[in-house]
Amino acid sequence: VLSAYRNPGPWLEVLGEPKGADVYLDDRRVGVLPWTDRVSVGMHHVRVEAPGFEPQFRLVPLSAPGASVEARFSLEPVRVVQD
């Protein structure tokens, strides 16, 4: 527990719509929207997906211990092509 106070982050906050969409950090499911946690310094691949919506992803740089970074996603419904 004390080590968490000595190494305060950085923190990543993933927000967006639809609430409850799955959040993946570096290809590992970590939770659902909204999601916040401490992560390691470096470049991270964040992906958000939900049934019936197009998944979205982006690279998020986290460069300083103690920093807080916010990543916002707004998933679009899957488009159905009609003949």
Side-chain angles (χ1 to χ4, degrees):
V1 174
L2 289 177
S3 64
Y5 292 105
R6 289 188 201 122
N7 182 9
W11 289 87
L12 175 60
E13 183 174 21
V14 182
L15 304 170
E17 295 293 331
K19 300 283 189 249
D22 291 320
V23 176
Y24 293 82
L25 181 65
D26 300 323
D27 294 323
R28 184 175 62 91
R29 186 180 179 279
V30 293
V32 298
L33 286 179
W35 178 84
T36 303
D37 206 349
R38 189 177 6 249
V39 296
S40 62
V41 170
M43 189 69 71
H44 293 278
H45 181 263
V46 179
R47 184 174 84 243
V48 176
E49 55 185 50
F53 292 86
E54 295 288 342
Q56 290 183 0
F57 70 91
R58 65 182 59 123
L59 292 175
V60 178
L62 294 154
S63 59
S68 179
V69 174
E70 184 180 283
R72 288 191 173 269
F73 292 81
S74 183
L75 302 186
E76 298 292 328
V78 172
R79 293 184 209 162
V80 177
V81 177
Q82 305 227 353
D83 293 328

